[in-house]
Amino acid sequence: MSAVAAPSARRIAWIRRRRALSRAWGQFRHHTPGMIGLGILVAAVLMAIAAPLLADEAGLRAINVTHNPTFANPSEFGPLGTDSLGRDVMTQFIWGARTSLLVGLAATILAILIGSIVGITAGFYGGKIGGVLMRITEWFLVIPFLPLAIVLAAILGPSVKNIILVIGITSWPSTARLIAAQVLTLRERDYVDRSRALGASNWHLMTRHIVPNVSPLILANTTLTVPIVILSEATLSFLGLGDPTNPSWGKMLDDAFETGAVTAEAWWVFIPPGLGILLVALAFTLCGTALEEILDPRLRDRNK
Amino acid sequence: MSARFIGGKVLGSLATLLFVVCFNFFLFRVVETDPVASLYRGHNLTQTQRAKLTEEFGLDKSKGAQFVSYLKETATLNLGRSYTTNQPVWQEIKDKAGATIALVGISAVLSAVFGIMLGIAAAWRRRTKADYSITAFTMATYSMPEFWLGMILLTFFAVVLGWFPVGGIEDPSSTATGLAKLPDQARHMFLPALTLTLAYLGEYAIVMRSSLLETMREDYLVLARAKGLRDVLVRNRHAVPNALLPVVALLAINFGFVLSGAIAIEAIFSWPGLGLATYEALKGPDLPMLQGMFLVFSASVIFFNLVADLLYGYLDPRVRPT
Amino acid sequence: MSLLEVSDLRVTYNAASQAPIPAVRGIDVTLDVGETLGIAGESGCGKSSMAGALLRLLPKGTEVTGDVLLDGEDVLEMKPGRLRAVRWTELAIVFQGALHTLNPVQRVGDQIYEAIKLHAKSASDDDPKRVADLLELVGLPARRSRAYPHELSGGQRQRVLIGLALACDPRLLIADEPTTALDVMVQAQVLRLLAELQRELGLAIIFITHDLSTLVNVCRRIAVMYAGRIVEHGPNDKVFADGAHPYTRALSAAFPVIGEAEFRMNPSGLSGDPPDPRHVPSGCPFHPRCAVVTDVCPHTEVELWPAGPSREAACVHVSGAPVRA
């Protein structure tokens, strides 16, 4: 008789999962572009969180800055100059990061949630239900995103909540299609058949077998959806559909355009927010590409 | 390619178009429950005025009847009247479509051509400095908001350097007519087309590169070399046609993006097309215009998807029914 | 002068940031017109690398040394233009008929015609009707030339590849695992076809496979490869039924003949794995898996020694070995 009891099945699963995670992290660490992306993201998130410490929120309101020079370039008023109303660009940039990141993450989560549920359901049940769901997904994929988002935003009205909603419910189709395809292949695997022979219910199969195996794909897809969402939020804000009281990088660009920063050659007003969007979107793309390479089920199958 | 295949695809596209038309109705009529109230926000309407307007807009009928008359009107291209200009929406669309077709058409083609060329170059020089710089460049353009790029190009090349006009489609003081207008229009189109091309070539390059890299590992290339073909022919006759397939699939999706990107770009460069019309319709909001734009944009994308689908079916025999 | 004379062929792969992999470590092969030679061995023994080396089809950066004399001309020294002219016209390869061996978006007839047109020396050579002739030669109806690769069965694809290989009337054919992915019945058909074509056209064939039993009816001589070297060669019946090298015996025993009682009663498999080309065992590379290994085996540099009339084997047990076990 052994002195130590054998570990339970659940504990073994946990140990394996932790080991797989640390292996994945080890691989990620050697992926230079992915690490650069991660670094940028950490910096951006820290900056957003620390916004109250870094810049005075009062500086966002035009009323408080009537004494400031307008369109002052960085050498006159630093570090990034002022806009058409005299507001400090740096303050807007720091506070704008919050909105962009928040909307980016919230809308992505919403889109991924809807997309995953639709995808898993369609892929798992197949047949009529799956067919109908996939047909609806295809239709939504064909409808161009921006016109649809514009129409929805125009109808619902400008607010942060509505922007999150609009982007979320227009971005789920590509996730759904990707996940449905993956679930379809998983469903054909032997262990699903065996589980069923043992009497497993559909719910058990979905939660214990399908979802854990589809999670890596969902994670990689999430990371690659965020840049699309961030760019969408920027575009919608630029078109004037964002919350007018909320500073966001897209709104900064809208203001810059509307108030003639272009003709005034006031590059310091629109370069920073665009650069911010670019860097954050790029960072997520780099991380997502790295994750994809690490988690690609095709590569995993080849190694099995 | 059999008639059955083509017919199937066309039917599918028509079904999607029908779905979009119905969806358009529900979008506006169901979500926006009282157009009269929202349209005349700020005005104080009397009961009689409200009733008269309601009847005028056909809102007193049941939803079902509204839907039927909506379908009839859409089929006859009666898309309502613009709230701001009071012109028929279809007329506005006809007037402005040309400018957008020119801009989007050229940009879509150029972004595909240059994107594919960059992708091939990057794959062929894999892991060299050229590959890394092309990949970095395409990832950067892929991640940037296209209207930001537009603002930068506009500021630098038009305002600061003065090489290009600051906006519009032609010089308002010019007296040229017909074909003589083209050089002036081309000058005006250069910056917005450049912006759209740069903004959307990234994805083509990325997809073409990875597709070609995968194709280069295939066995049939070894067979082609074994037959005695020169490397260039192996690449062009066997590798590239196979590698192009995912890119063709991308054409349809990307066209939708270029078209949508035109909304912000036309706004920035004051290009008098459908995009600028949409941008201005948002100020109202001029709902009939927005509704019309939505329909036109969606129909264009559906049509282009059909073309790309048929093209793909022509190039890849594996998707055709045997 | 023989049709093909290979001397001390060595193939070393140079993958980026990895140690070089010596896949082929010194092989000699001689083949006359109309002769048939089978080469058997497990995966990773270097047989496919050898085949690729003969026409210089290996990836860029792969080191290939030795002499490959085709009708007296060294293939490894040929200028690119001469090499391309020689490919397919003097020596053609029948690849394994997997789905992606042929271009998926081109009709098979066009792929055959491409070879014909490429090497046609005159207008009369450039004849699209030859495609139909070739297809019929390999037992396929001529109208199959309009098919795409994915529309054909595995056996049909293999026949197309054989027909393709014969498109420019080569005198030497290398068949690299042509029957490996096929099921047994189709395998037999393809083997019969190859034997017939060899007789009718007087082809010299090098038939590469891991299944020793398929070689017996097609090739007069058989060579066995292990860890990048030939460890035995001799007449087909002798090598198959009574191998001189322990590895050969293990290989033939690994493929039971259906119906023979002794195989049912006495299944024998080969234990262990083929050696990693980067870490080949010392002395005789087979010694870790050998059933009759002796003390001298890990320390003896084995070579092909006489083991009977026109037979050689690289084993200390054979009659011609200088070292007595």
Side-chain angles (χ1 to χ4, degrees), chain C residues 263-318:
Chain C
F263 285 101
R264 251 185 290 141
M265 295 303 128
N266 192 15
S268 27
L270 195 51
S271 62
D273 289 318
D276 181 346
R278 288 169 289 190
H279 305 113
V280 174
S282 62
C284 170
F286 186 59
H287 79 254
R289 304 164 79 188
C290 185
V292 294
V293 60
T294 69
D295 293 327
V296 301
C297 294
H299 313 292
T300 315
E301 289 305 317
V302 290
E303 283 172 21
L304 284 167
W305 294 305
S310 48
R311 291 183 71 175
E312 283 184 329
C315 179
V316 298
H317 292 289
V318 301

Short mmCIF file of all heavy atoms in Angstrom, two decimals, chain C residues 263-318:
data_model
loop_
_atom_site.label_atom_id
_atom_site.label_comp_id
_atom_site.label_asym_id
_atom_site.label_seq_id
_atom_site.Cartn_x
_atom_site.Cartn_y
_atom_site.Cartn_z
N PHE C 263 3.62 -17.49 -40.30
CA PHE C 263 3.56 -16.09 -39.88
C PHE C 263 2.53 -15.90 -38.78
O PHE C 263 2.67 -15.06 -37.90
CB PHE C 263 3.23 -15.18 -41.06
CG PHE C 263 4.39 -15.00 -41.97
CD1 PHE C 263 4.48 -15.69 -43.15
CD2 PHE C 263 5.43 -14.14 -41.62
CE1 PHE C 263 5.57 -15.54 -43.99
CE2 PHE C 263 6.52 -13.98 -42.45
CZ PHE C 263 6.60 -14.68 -43.64
N ARG C 264 1.48 -16.70 -38.84
CA ARG C 264 0.49 -16.59 -37.79
C ARG C 264 1.06 -17.06 -36.47
O ARG C 264 0.77 -16.52 -35.42
CB ARG C 264 -0.74 -17.43 -38.16
CG ARG C 264 -1.95 -16.59 -38.53
CD ARG C 264 -3.15 -17.43 -38.77
NE ARG C 264 -3.04 -18.20 -40.00
CZ ARG C 264 -3.48 -19.46 -40.10
NH1 ARG C 264 -4.02 -20.05 -39.09
NH2 ARG C 264 -3.35 -20.09 -41.24
N MET C 265 1.83 -18.08 -36.57
CA MET C 265 2.34 -18.66 -35.33
C MET C 265 3.52 -17.90 -34.77
O MET C 265 3.81 -17.96 -33.59
CB MET C 265 2.77 -20.12 -35.58
CG MET C 265 1.61 -21.02 -35.94
SD MET C 265 0.35 -20.98 -34.66
CE MET C 265 -1.09 -20.63 -35.60
N ASN C 266 4.24 -17.22 -35.64
CA ASN C 266 5.51 -16.64 -35.19
C ASN C 266 5.69 -15.21 -35.67
O ASN C 266 6.54 -14.91 -36.49
CB ASN C 266 6.65 -17.53 -35.75
CG ASN C 266 7.95 -17.16 -35.08
OD1 ASN C 266 7.97 -16.49 -34.06
ND2 ASN C 266 9.05 -17.60 -35.68
N PRO C 267 4.88 -14.29 -35.16
CA PRO C 267 5.03 -12.91 -35.62
C PRO C 267 6.33 -12.33 -35.11
O PRO C 267 6.70 -12.53 -33.97
CB PRO C 267 3.83 -12.21 -34.98
CG PRO C 267 3.51 -13.00 -33.78
CD PRO C 267 3.91 -14.41 -34.08
N SER C 268 7.06 -11.64 -35.98
CA SER C 268 8.30 -11.02 -35.50
C SER C 268 8.33 -9.57 -35.91
O SER C 268 8.13 -9.23 -37.07
CB SER C 268 9.51 -11.75 -36.06
OG SER C 268 9.19 -12.35 -37.28
N GLY C 269 8.56 -8.71 -34.97
CA GLY C 269 8.69 -7.30 -35.29
C GLY C 269 10.10 -6.88 -34.98
O GLY C 269 10.86 -7.60 -34.35
N LEU C 270 10.45 -5.72 -35.46
CA LEU C 270 11.80 -5.22 -35.22
C LEU C 270 11.72 -4.25 -34.05
O LEU C 270 11.02 -3.27 -34.09
CB LEU C 270 12.29 -4.51 -36.49
CG LEU C 270 13.78 -4.22 -36.60
CD1 LEU C 270 14.58 -5.45 -36.32
CD2 LEU C 270 14.07 -3.70 -37.99
N SER C 271 12.46 -4.55 -32.99
CA SER C 271 12.37 -3.68 -31.81
C SER C 271 13.19 -2.42 -32.03
O SER C 271 14.09 -2.36 -32.86
CB SER C 271 12.89 -4.44 -30.59
OG SER C 271 14.25 -4.73 -30.81
N GLY C 272 12.87 -1.41 -31.27
CA GLY C 272 13.64 -0.17 -31.32
C GLY C 272 13.26 0.69 -32.50
O GLY C 272 12.34 0.38 -33.26
N ASP C 273 13.96 1.80 -32.66
CA ASP C 273 13.69 2.75 -33.74
C ASP C 273 14.92 2.92 -34.62
O ASP C 273 16.04 2.69 -34.17
CB ASP C 273 13.33 4.13 -33.16
CG ASP C 273 11.98 4.11 -32.49
OD1 ASP C 273 11.07 3.52 -33.05
OD2 ASP C 273 11.88 4.71 -31.40
N PRO C 274 14.72 3.34 -35.86
CA PRO C 274 15.88 3.65 -36.70
C PRO C 274 16.70 4.74 -36.04
O PRO C 274 16.15 5.62 -35.38
CB PRO C 274 15.27 4.15 -38.02
CG PRO C 274 13.85 3.74 -37.98
CD PRO C 274 13.46 3.58 -36.57
N PRO C 275 18.01 4.72 -36.22
CA PRO C 275 18.84 5.70 -35.51
C PRO C 275 18.69 7.10 -36.07
O PRO C 275 18.42 7.29 -37.24
CB PRO C 275 20.28 5.17 -35.76
CG PRO C 275 20.17 4.38 -37.00
CD PRO C 275 18.80 3.79 -37.03
N ASP C 276 18.83 8.10 -35.18
CA ASP C 276 18.85 9.49 -35.58
C ASP C 276 20.10 9.71 -36.43
O ASP C 276 21.21 9.39 -35.98
CB ASP C 276 18.91 10.35 -34.32
CG ASP C 276 18.90 11.83 -34.64
OD1 ASP C 276 19.10 12.22 -35.81
OD2 ASP C 276 18.68 12.61 -33.69
N PRO C 277 19.95 10.21 -37.66
CA PRO C 277 21.13 10.37 -38.53
C PRO C 277 22.25 11.18 -37.88
O PRO C 277 23.40 11.07 -38.27
CB PRO C 277 20.57 11.11 -39.75
CG PRO C 277 19.11 10.86 -39.73
CD PRO C 277 18.73 10.64 -38.32
N ARG C 278 21.89 12.04 -36.90
CA ARG C 278 22.95 12.83 -36.27
C ARG C 278 23.70 12.03 -35.21
O ARG C 278 24.77 12.43 -34.78
CB ARG C 278 22.34 14.08 -35.63
CG ARG C 278 21.87 15.10 -36.65
CD ARG C 278 21.05 16.17 -36.00
NE ARG C 278 19.76 15.66 -35.58
CZ ARG C 278 18.77 16.44 -35.16
NH1 ARG C 278 18.94 17.73 -35.09
NH2 ARG C 278 17.62 15.92 -34.79
N HIS C 279 23.11 10.94 -34.75
CA HIS C 279 23.77 10.15 -33.71
C HIS C 279 23.74 8.69 -34.09
O HIS C 279 23.06 7.88 -33.46
CB HIS C 279 23.06 10.35 -32.36
CG HIS C 279 22.94 11.79 -31.98
ND1 HIS C 279 21.75 12.45 -31.92
CD2 HIS C 279 23.88 12.70 -31.66
CE1 HIS C 279 21.96 13.71 -31.58
NE2 HIS C 279 23.24 13.88 -31.42
N VAL C 280 24.46 8.35 -35.11
CA VAL C 280 24.50 6.97 -35.57
C VAL C 280 25.37 6.16 -34.60
O VAL C 280 26.45 6.61 -34.23
CB VAL C 280 25.09 6.90 -36.99
CG1 VAL C 280 25.27 5.47 -37.42
CG2 VAL C 280 24.19 7.65 -37.96
N PRO C 281 24.88 4.98 -34.20
CA PRO C 281 25.68 4.16 -33.26
C PRO C 281 27.06 3.82 -33.84
O PRO C 281 27.24 3.75 -35.05
CB PRO C 281 24.84 2.89 -33.10
CG PRO C 281 23.47 3.28 -33.47
CD PRO C 281 23.59 4.37 -34.48
N SER C 282 28.03 3.59 -32.96
CA SER C 282 29.39 3.31 -33.39
C SER C 282 29.48 1.94 -34.04
O SER C 282 28.62 1.08 -33.83
CB SER C 282 30.33 3.36 -32.18
OG SER C 282 29.94 2.35 -31.28
N GLY C 283 30.53 1.74 -34.81
CA GLY C 283 30.74 0.45 -35.44
C GLY C 283 29.60 0.15 -36.40
O GLY C 283 29.25 0.97 -37.24
N CYS C 284 29.02 -1.03 -36.30
CA CYS C 284 27.88 -1.37 -37.15
C CYS C 284 26.65 -0.64 -36.61
O CYS C 284 26.24 -0.88 -35.47
CB CYS C 284 27.63 -2.88 -37.12
SG CYS C 284 26.07 -3.34 -37.90
N PRO C 285 26.03 0.24 -37.39
CA PRO C 285 24.94 1.06 -36.87
C PRO C 285 23.73 0.25 -36.42
O PRO C 285 22.89 0.74 -35.69
CB PRO C 285 24.57 1.98 -38.04
CG PRO C 285 25.37 1.55 -39.21
CD PRO C 285 26.35 0.53 -38.81
N PHE C 286 23.66 -1.02 -36.84
CA PHE C 286 22.48 -1.81 -36.51
C PHE C 286 22.63 -2.53 -35.18
O PHE C 286 21.68 -3.11 -34.66
CB PHE C 286 22.24 -2.83 -37.65
CG PHE C 286 20.98 -3.61 -37.51
CD1 PHE C 286 19.75 -2.97 -37.46
CD2 PHE C 286 21.00 -5.00 -37.42
CE1 PHE C 286 18.58 -3.70 -37.32
CE2 PHE C 286 19.83 -5.74 -37.29
CZ PHE C 286 18.62 -5.09 -37.24
N HIS C 287 23.83 -2.48 -34.57
CA HIS C 287 24.09 -3.38 -33.46
C HIS C 287 23.12 -3.23 -32.27
O HIS C 287 22.82 -4.21 -31.62
CB HIS C 287 25.56 -3.31 -33.00
CG HIS C 287 25.89 -2.11 -32.13
ND1 HIS C 287 26.60 -1.04 -32.60
CD2 HIS C 287 25.63 -1.84 -30.84
CE1 HIS C 287 26.75 -0.16 -31.63
NE2 HIS C 287 26.17 -0.62 -30.55
N PRO C 288 22.56 -2.02 -31.96
CA PRO C 288 21.65 -1.96 -30.82
C PRO C 288 20.36 -2.76 -31.02
O PRO C 288 19.71 -3.11 -30.06
CB PRO C 288 21.34 -0.47 -30.69
CG PRO C 288 22.39 0.23 -31.45
CD PRO C 288 22.80 -0.71 -32.54
N ARG C 289 19.98 -3.03 -32.27
CA ARG C 289 18.72 -3.70 -32.50
C ARG C 289 18.93 -5.14 -33.02
O ARG C 289 17.97 -5.81 -33.35
CB ARG C 289 17.90 -2.94 -33.55
CG ARG C 289 17.64 -1.48 -33.19
CD ARG C 289 17.17 -0.69 -34.41
NE ARG C 289 15.76 -0.92 -34.68
CZ ARG C 289 15.15 -0.47 -35.77
NH1 ARG C 289 15.83 0.19 -36.70
NH2 ARG C 289 13.86 -0.70 -35.96
N CYS C 290 20.17 -5.56 -33.09
CA CYS C 290 20.45 -6.81 -33.80
C CYS C 290 20.19 -8.02 -32.91
O CYS C 290 20.57 -8.03 -31.74
CB CYS C 290 21.91 -6.81 -34.26
SG CYS C 290 22.32 -8.23 -35.27
N ALA C 291 19.59 -9.04 -33.51
CA ALA C 291 19.30 -10.25 -32.74
C ALA C 291 20.52 -11.11 -32.54
O ALA C 291 20.60 -11.92 -31.61
CB ALA C 291 18.21 -11.04 -33.45
N VAL C 292 21.52 -10.95 -33.44
CA VAL C 292 22.70 -11.81 -33.34
C VAL C 292 23.95 -10.97 -33.12
O VAL C 292 25.03 -11.28 -33.63
CB VAL C 292 22.86 -12.68 -34.60
CG1 VAL C 292 21.70 -13.66 -34.69
CG2 VAL C 292 22.91 -11.81 -35.85
N VAL C 293 23.79 -9.92 -32.34
CA VAL C 293 24.91 -9.01 -32.11
C VAL C 293 26.03 -9.73 -31.32
O VAL C 293 25.76 -10.57 -30.45
CB VAL C 293 24.44 -7.76 -31.37
CG1 VAL C 293 23.82 -8.15 -30.01
CG2 VAL C 293 25.54 -6.75 -31.18
N THR C 294 27.28 -9.39 -31.65
CA THR C 294 28.42 -9.96 -30.92
C THR C 294 29.22 -8.83 -30.28
O THR C 294 28.89 -7.66 -30.44
CB THR C 294 29.35 -10.72 -31.88
OG1 THR C 294 29.98 -9.75 -32.74
CG2 THR C 294 28.58 -11.73 -32.70
N ASP C 295 30.28 -9.21 -29.57
CA ASP C 295 31.06 -8.19 -28.87
C ASP C 295 31.82 -7.28 -29.81
O ASP C 295 32.11 -6.13 -29.48
CB ASP C 295 32.08 -8.86 -27.92
CG ASP C 295 31.36 -9.58 -26.81
OD1 ASP C 295 30.30 -9.10 -26.40
OD2 ASP C 295 31.88 -10.62 -26.35
N VAL C 296 32.18 -7.80 -30.99
CA VAL C 296 33.00 -6.97 -31.88
C VAL C 296 32.17 -5.97 -32.66
O VAL C 296 32.71 -5.01 -33.22
CB VAL C 296 33.79 -7.85 -32.88
CG1 VAL C 296 34.68 -8.80 -32.14
CG2 VAL C 296 32.86 -8.57 -33.82
N CYS C 297 30.85 -6.18 -32.71
CA CYS C 297 30.02 -5.35 -33.59
C CYS C 297 30.10 -3.85 -33.32
O CYS C 297 30.22 -3.07 -34.25
CB CYS C 297 28.56 -5.81 -33.53
SG CYS C 297 28.31 -7.46 -34.20
N PRO C 298 30.05 -3.41 -32.02
CA PRO C 298 30.10 -1.96 -31.80
C PRO C 298 31.45 -1.33 -32.15
O PRO C 298 31.57 -0.11 -32.21
CB PRO C 298 29.83 -1.82 -30.29
CG PRO C 298 29.20 -3.10 -29.89
CD PRO C 298 29.76 -4.14 -30.79
N HIS C 299 32.46 -2.16 -32.39
CA HIS C 299 33.78 -1.59 -32.63
C HIS C 299 34.28 -1.82 -34.04
O HIS C 299 35.37 -1.39 -34.39
CB HIS C 299 34.80 -2.21 -31.66
CG HIS C 299 34.28 -2.25 -30.26
ND1 HIS C 299 34.08 -1.11 -29.50
CD2 HIS C 299 33.88 -3.28 -29.48
CE1 HIS C 299 33.60 -1.45 -28.33
NE2 HIS C 299 33.47 -2.76 -28.29
N THR C 300 33.48 -2.50 -34.84
CA THR C 300 33.95 -2.83 -36.19
C THR C 300 33.32 -1.90 -37.21
O THR C 300 32.10 -1.77 -37.28
CB THR C 300 33.56 -4.27 -36.55
OG1 THR C 300 33.85 -5.12 -35.45
CG2 THR C 300 34.28 -4.72 -37.79
N GLU C 301 34.17 -1.28 -38.03
CA GLU C 301 33.64 -0.46 -39.11
C GLU C 301 33.24 -1.40 -40.24
O GLU C 301 34.06 -1.85 -41.03
CB GLU C 301 34.73 0.51 -39.62
CG GLU C 301 35.05 1.64 -38.64
CD GLU C 301 33.82 2.43 -38.24
OE1 GLU C 301 32.99 2.74 -39.09
OE2 GLU C 301 33.69 2.70 -37.04
N VAL C 302 31.93 -1.71 -40.31
CA VAL C 302 31.49 -2.70 -41.29
C VAL C 302 31.50 -2.11 -42.70
O VAL C 302 31.25 -0.92 -42.90
CB VAL C 302 30.08 -3.22 -40.95
CG1 VAL C 302 30.14 -4.07 -39.70
CG2 VAL C 302 29.11 -2.08 -40.78
N GLU C 303 31.79 -2.96 -43.67
CA GLU C 303 31.70 -2.58 -45.08
C GLU C 303 30.99 -3.70 -45.80
O GLU C 303 30.74 -4.76 -45.24
CB GLU C 303 33.11 -2.47 -45.68
CG GLU C 303 33.86 -1.22 -45.31
CD GLU C 303 35.29 -1.34 -45.79
OE1 GLU C 303 35.56 -2.14 -46.69
OE2 GLU C 303 36.13 -0.63 -45.21
N LEU C 304 30.66 -3.46 -47.08
CA LEU C 304 30.01 -4.52 -47.85
C LEU C 304 31.05 -5.58 -48.20
O LEU C 304 31.99 -5.35 -48.95
CB LEU C 304 29.41 -3.92 -49.13
CG LEU C 304 28.12 -3.13 -48.90
CD1 LEU C 304 27.76 -2.32 -50.14
CD2 LEU C 304 26.98 -4.06 -48.54
N TRP C 305 30.86 -6.76 -47.59
CA TRP C 305 31.75 -7.87 -47.83
C TRP C 305 31.02 -8.97 -48.57
O TRP C 305 29.81 -9.11 -48.46
CB TRP C 305 32.28 -8.43 -46.50
CG TRP C 305 33.15 -7.45 -45.76
CD1 TRP C 305 34.26 -6.83 -46.25
CD2 TRP C 305 32.99 -7.00 -44.42
NE1 TRP C 305 34.81 -6.01 -45.29
CE2 TRP C 305 34.04 -6.10 -44.15
CE3 TRP C 305 32.08 -7.29 -43.41
CZ2 TRP C 305 34.19 -5.48 -42.93
CZ3 TRP C 305 32.22 -6.65 -42.18
CH2 TRP C 305 33.28 -5.76 -41.95
N PRO C 306 31.75 -9.80 -49.32
CA PRO C 306 31.08 -10.87 -50.08
C PRO C 306 30.31 -11.79 -49.14
O PRO C 306 30.80 -12.17 -48.08
CB PRO C 306 32.25 -11.63 -50.74
CG PRO C 306 33.36 -10.65 -50.77
CD PRO C 306 33.20 -9.77 -49.58
N ALA C 307 29.11 -12.14 -49.57
CA ALA C 307 28.28 -13.02 -48.75
C ALA C 307 27.70 -14.14 -49.59
O ALA C 307 26.76 -14.80 -49.20
CB ALA C 307 27.15 -12.22 -48.12
N GLY C 308 28.27 -14.38 -50.78
CA GLY C 308 27.75 -15.42 -51.66
C GLY C 308 27.93 -14.96 -53.10
O GLY C 308 28.46 -13.87 -53.34
N PRO C 309 27.45 -15.75 -54.05
CA PRO C 309 27.59 -15.36 -55.47
C PRO C 309 26.81 -14.08 -55.75
O PRO C 309 25.60 -14.03 -55.50
CB PRO C 309 27.02 -16.55 -56.24
CG PRO C 309 26.24 -17.33 -55.24
CD PRO C 309 26.81 -17.06 -53.89
N SER C 310 27.48 -13.06 -56.26
CA SER C 310 26.95 -11.71 -56.52
C SER C 310 26.08 -11.20 -55.37
O SER C 310 25.03 -10.60 -55.56
CB SER C 310 26.19 -11.64 -57.85
OG SER C 310 25.28 -12.70 -57.98
N ARG C 311 26.53 -11.46 -54.15
CA ARG C 311 25.85 -10.93 -52.98
C ARG C 311 26.87 -10.28 -52.09
O ARG C 311 27.98 -10.77 -51.96
CB ARG C 311 25.18 -12.05 -52.19
CG ARG C 311 24.01 -12.71 -52.85
CD ARG C 311 23.42 -13.73 -51.92
NE ARG C 311 22.74 -13.03 -50.82
CZ ARG C 311 22.02 -13.65 -49.89
NH1 ARG C 311 21.94 -14.95 -49.91
NH2 ARG C 311 21.43 -12.98 -48.94
N GLU C 312 26.48 -9.21 -51.43
CA GLU C 312 27.35 -8.58 -50.45
C GLU C 312 26.51 -8.13 -49.27
O GLU C 312 25.34 -7.81 -49.44
CB GLU C 312 28.07 -7.36 -51.06
CG GLU C 312 29.22 -7.71 -51.97
CD GLU C 312 29.94 -6.47 -52.47
OE1 GLU C 312 29.27 -5.41 -52.62
OE2 GLU C 312 31.15 -6.54 -52.70
N ALA C 313 27.13 -8.12 -48.09
CA ALA C 313 26.41 -7.60 -46.94
C ALA C 313 27.41 -7.00 -45.97
O ALA C 313 28.56 -7.45 -45.88
CB ALA C 313 25.60 -8.71 -46.26
N ALA C 314 27.00 -6.01 -45.22
CA ALA C 314 27.90 -5.36 -44.28
C ALA C 314 27.67 -5.91 -42.88
O ALA C 314 27.09 -5.26 -42.02
CB ALA C 314 27.64 -3.85 -44.30
N CYS C 315 28.12 -7.14 -42.67
CA CYS C 315 27.88 -7.78 -41.36
C CYS C 315 29.07 -8.67 -41.05
O CYS C 315 29.62 -9.31 -41.94
CB CYS C 315 26.60 -8.60 -41.41
SG CYS C 315 26.23 -9.44 -39.85
N VAL C 316 29.42 -8.74 -39.80
CA VAL C 316 30.58 -9.55 -39.41
C VAL C 316 30.31 -11.04 -39.57
O VAL C 316 31.23 -11.85 -39.55
CB VAL C 316 31.01 -9.25 -37.97
CG1 VAL C 316 31.42 -7.81 -37.83
CG2 VAL C 316 29.88 -9.58 -37.02
N HIS C 317 29.04 -11.42 -39.73
CA HIS C 317 28.71 -12.83 -39.81
C HIS C 317 28.87 -13.43 -41.20
O HIS C 317 28.84 -14.64 -41.35
CB HIS C 317 27.27 -13.07 -39.34
CG HIS C 317 27.07 -12.80 -37.88
ND1 HIS C 317 27.58 -13.63 -36.90
CD2 HIS C 317 26.42 -11.80 -37.24
CE1 HIS C 317 27.25 -13.14 -35.70
NE2 HIS C 317 26.55 -12.03 -35.88
N VAL C 318 28.99 -12.59 -42.23
CA VAL C 318 29.01 -13.15 -43.58
C VAL C 318 30.35 -13.81 -43.88
O VAL C 318 31.36 -13.50 -43.24
CB VAL C 318 28.70 -12.10 -44.66
CG1 VAL C 318 27.34 -11.49 -44.40
CG2 VAL C 318 29.78 -11.04 -44.70
#
